[in-house]
């Protein structure tokens, strides 16, 4: 069958398998568990390895080890589990090891709930762990993109030797849509840095302890230069009806799809509204937003959080245009609710 | 004693939508209908989300209550043991896969004590792990073992949600028919969205059951 009806979590797992993922290390947590379950069923049939670790800490350190060998490995969790994995993610970032880390997000703080949220945005885009580092963060908006971005994620991870995070709302992990399963297309890059046995050459060493301050600073500069390169080359965003927009909504992930529906509705009522959807949450598409600030009279950041991405929108707009906010937690607002919020602001600003 | 109809199957096979439709349909002609939502694996896309629609139709909902309705813990609705021993028509909607069917293990002795029960396997051949005979055999074996009950029939539910066409249904149902023959379980109905009903009726007749998708968000 060329099309399969998949949950977002299943599609993501299938995408990782298509990209050549050979090992999954994780600890189950709702609403991400179907990724682990899918891998547990499929990986052993493909001579791969599935390990349900004793804890999130163990799982991320298994990813650290697995990625050191140059193999494509991954883990998946939700906010509370990603918090536990943060130390390991910092190590992996400094060791410059490619891997895939998935956050199927639920509402926090603390244990929070199991319902969808985007409130791990700060955690995802500011590194989450200690030290000067970033992960490259992709935010899919459909079940098909869950599959596609897993493949893209591995390619980017290998190309830049960086941990790539895919962040999706719990609902996107749980909902079902038809998916076209792509053939395996991945090209593997050479990994001369990896640890695969050193017969006949100097050993490669994976180490993140740098006691010499000069070397420590050098390492930080290496990472900072790499991050600048990624910002220049890999920043991704989708623009929808932005060209003539007075009001520009910024929204990512599943939320962006709902905003699109709302925009079609409010456009028919005569409001010139557009959407900028960051596809990479880090690097953030500041340039696209800055350009739109040339003509937009109001920005509106819509998030399933109490307001996190709005900081990045404000930085990109740099004071030229006001930036407003609308957010929920644990609930995906309907297109009708979003349309109302947009219209209320447009009317207040006299935009029509 | 009244009937018990149980819908089980793989994750995302369509159990909750079908259970909801079945309960609402029965409520038009019968009283004393109970819908038991025993999905305790996670709270996404579960029939208890439609609590108000269910109760307005005169159906009594048995489901994890209060804060537990949003949980992923084994919180069996506390009244169920009392109600399952009484004379009524109960529709049971469990979570997917064998973990979902474990809830039935707890109720098994009361289900068997009823004069007749239907334990139906909901099959969508477009879902992973339901696309070939070995997978379907494995699914049946796992669900039966977890539930401690043997299936009495199959609900054929071939669809790709928004991308479903008449062809999707035709070829998907054909596949389900081959599974049905191989495992020796009759197909008791073929469920399709309402707008396919009229055009497919000449082909399938009374086997066809029109359903409405209550849990699908309006933005999909």
């Amino acid at each position: 069958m060329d099309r399969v009806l998949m949950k977002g979590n299943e599609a993501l797992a299938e995408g990782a398998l298509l990209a050549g993922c050979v090992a999954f290390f994780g600890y189950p947590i709702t609403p991400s568990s179907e990724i682990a379950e899918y891998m547990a069923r499929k990986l052993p049939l493909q001579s791969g390895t599935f390990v349900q670790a004793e804890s999130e800490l163990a799982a991320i350190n298994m990813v650290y080890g697995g990625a050191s060998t140059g193999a494509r490995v991954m883990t998946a969790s939700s906010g509370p589990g990603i918090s536990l994995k943060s130390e390991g993610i910092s190590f992996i970032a400094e060791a410059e090891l490619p891997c895939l880390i998935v956050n199927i997000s639920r509402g926090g703080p603390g244990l929070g709930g199991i319902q969808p949220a985007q409130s791990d945005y700060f955690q995802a885009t500011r590194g989450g762990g200690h030290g000067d580092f970033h992960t490259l963060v992709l935010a899919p908006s459909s079940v098909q993109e869950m599959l596609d971005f897993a493949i893209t994620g591995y390619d980017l991870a290998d190309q830049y030797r960086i941990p790539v995070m895919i962040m999706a709302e719990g609902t996107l992990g749980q909902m079902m849509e038809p998916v076209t399963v792509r053939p395996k297309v991945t090209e593997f890059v050479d990994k001369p840095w990896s640890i695969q046995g050193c017969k006949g050459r100097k050993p490669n060493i994976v180490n993140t302890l740098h006691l010499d301050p000069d070397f420590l600073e050098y390492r930080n500069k290496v990472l900072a230069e790499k991050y600048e390169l990624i910002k220049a080359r890999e920043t991704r965003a989708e623009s929808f009806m932005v060209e003539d927009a007075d009001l520009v909504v910024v929204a990512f992930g599943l939320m962006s799809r709902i905003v699109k529906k709302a925009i079609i509705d409010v456009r028919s009522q005569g409001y010139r509204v557009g959407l900028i959807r960051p596809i990479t949450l880090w690097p953030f598409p500041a340039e696209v937003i800055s350009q739109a600030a040339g003509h937009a009279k109001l920005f509106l950041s819509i998030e399933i959080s109490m307001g996190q991405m709005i900081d990045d929108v404000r930085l990109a707009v740099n004071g030229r245009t006001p930036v407003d906010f609308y957010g929920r937690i644990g609930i995906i607002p309907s297109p009708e609710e979003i349309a109302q919020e947009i219209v209320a602001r447009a009317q207040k600003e006299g935009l029509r | 004693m009244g009937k018990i109809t149980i819908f089980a199957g793989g994750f995302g096979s369509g159990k909750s939508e079908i259970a909801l439709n079945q309960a609402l349909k029965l409520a038009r002609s019968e009283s004393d209908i109970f819908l038991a939502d025993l999905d305790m694996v996670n709270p996404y896309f579960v029939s208890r989300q439609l609590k108000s629609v269910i109760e307005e139709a005169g159906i009594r909902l048995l489901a994890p209550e209060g804060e537990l309705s949003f949980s992923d813990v084994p919180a069996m609705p506390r009244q169920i043991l009392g109600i399952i021993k009484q004379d009524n028509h109960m529709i049971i909607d469990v979570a997917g896969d064998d973990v979902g069917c474990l809830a039935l293990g707890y109720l098994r002795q009361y289900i068997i004590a009823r004069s007749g029960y239907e334990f139906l396997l909901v099959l969508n051949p477009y879902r992973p792990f339901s696309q070939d005979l070995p997978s379907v055999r494995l699914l049946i074996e796992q669900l039966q073992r977890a539930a401690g009950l043997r299936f009495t029939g199959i609900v054929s539910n071939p669809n790709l949600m928004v991308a479903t066409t008449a062809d999707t249904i035709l070829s998907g149902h054909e596949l389900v028919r081959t599974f049905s023959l191989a495992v020796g379980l009759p197909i008791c109905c073929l469920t399709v969205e309402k707008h396919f009903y009229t055009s497919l009726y000449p082909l399938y007749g009374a086997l066809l059951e029109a359903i409405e998708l209550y849990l699908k968000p309006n933005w999909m």
Side-chain angles (χ1 to χ4, degrees), chain A residues 46 88 138 141 144 160 169 177 189 242 257 269 291 328:
Chain A
Q46 307 180 6
L138 297 167
S141 71
Q144 181 71 51
Y160 296 100
E169 305 88 339
E177 285 186 305
V189 300
V242 172
R257 264 171 80 166
Q269 300 172 47
Q291 279 167 15
R328 301 289 307 264

Side-chain angles (χ1 to χ4, degrees), chain A residues 268-344:
Chain A
S268 72
Q269 300 172 47
Y271 298 99
R272 289 199 296 271
V273 180
L275 165 74
I276 294 175
R277 169 201 163 202
I279 294 172
T280 48
L281 302 183
W282 193 90
F284 189 72
E287 190 53 41
V288 182
I289 290 174
S290 174
Q291 279 167 15
H295 58 81
K297 299 184 180 72
L298 180 68
F299 278 82
L300 173 59
S301 188
I302 300 184
E303 305 171 47
I304 310 173
S305 76
M306 291 296 106
Q308 301 192 8
M309 180 180 63
I310 186 173
D311 287 6
D312 285 332
V313 179
R314 283 204 179 107
L315 283 169
V317 168
N318 203 13
R320 287 179 291 161
T321 315
V323 183
D324 206 346
F325 175 74
Y326 183 68
R328 301 289 307 264
I329 273 277
I331 284 164
I332 307 273
S334 66
E336 295 77 22
E337 182 178 338
I338 297 301
Q340 257 177 23
E341 293 298 323
I342 291 172
V343 167

